[in-house]
Amino acid sequence: MSSSSSSSPESKRAGESPGWFDRPTNVRKVLLGLYGACALFVVIDVVFRVVGFDKHPYFEWERWPGFQAVYGFVACVLLVFVAKYVLRPLVMRKEDYYEPVEDEEAVETSKGGGDDHA
């Protein structure tokens, strides 16, 4: 995998240095930081469970270590799937919604490519 895998025109402008997230080492640092934070919060949750800290849950499964993390992840995934497979087809318009595609002859005539009557 090459370091210049970005093909956007913005990243290939002459004399412009790559952005901070265009460097794979920086992306890796951010991901490791996020994974570390997630692991730290799960460890804190386990310590709370062992020590006997009462989180005042309404349901018993809310006491499980890492429940909120799993619940949040599952809710986010479900939200994405509902948006993609349920809501998108409901609100999506055809590609030519604003400017319907006309036949080629009418387009050429409107552009001035047809008969010139001078």
Side-chain angles (χ1 to χ4, degrees):
M1 183 175 193
S2 68
S3 62
S4 63
S5 61
S6 176
S7 62
S8 65
E10 292 84 18
S11 63
K12 294 188 178 186
R13 291 183 185 152
E16 184 176 317
S17 64
W20 197 79
F21 279 113
D22 289 334
R23 297 182 188 115
T25 56
N26 293 338
V27 173
R28 188 168 190 266
K29 288 176 187 177
V30 169
L31 288 175
L32 286 175
L34 289 173
Y35 294 149
C38 289
L40 176 69
F41 287 125
V42 170
V43 167
I44 290 172
D45 211 13
V46 169
V47 169
F48 280 178
R49 173 77 176 204
V50 170
V51 171
F53 178 76
D54 188 19
K55 295 191 246 179
H56 304 289
Y58 189 77
F59 297 107
E60 183 59 33
W61 57 78
E62 290 179 286
R63 292 183 191 269
W64 300 345
F67 170 76
Q68 280 80 15
V70 173
Y71 179 77
F73 178 76
V74 170
C76 183
V77 169
L78 285 175
L79 186 67
V80 169
F81 280 125
V82 167
K84 184 172 183 177
Y85 296 111
V86 177
L87 297 177
R88 185 171 187 235
L90 290 174
V91 299
M92 198 164 109
R93 301 283 186 242
K94 292 183 179 179
E95 188 174 328
D96 62 347
Y97 179 74
Y98 291 105
E99 293 183 20
V101 176
E102 303 169 4
D103 60 2
E104 284 186 34
E105 188 176 316
V107 171
E108 288 298 319
T109 306
S110 67
K111 289 182 180 178
D115 296 332
D116 290 331
H117 300 289

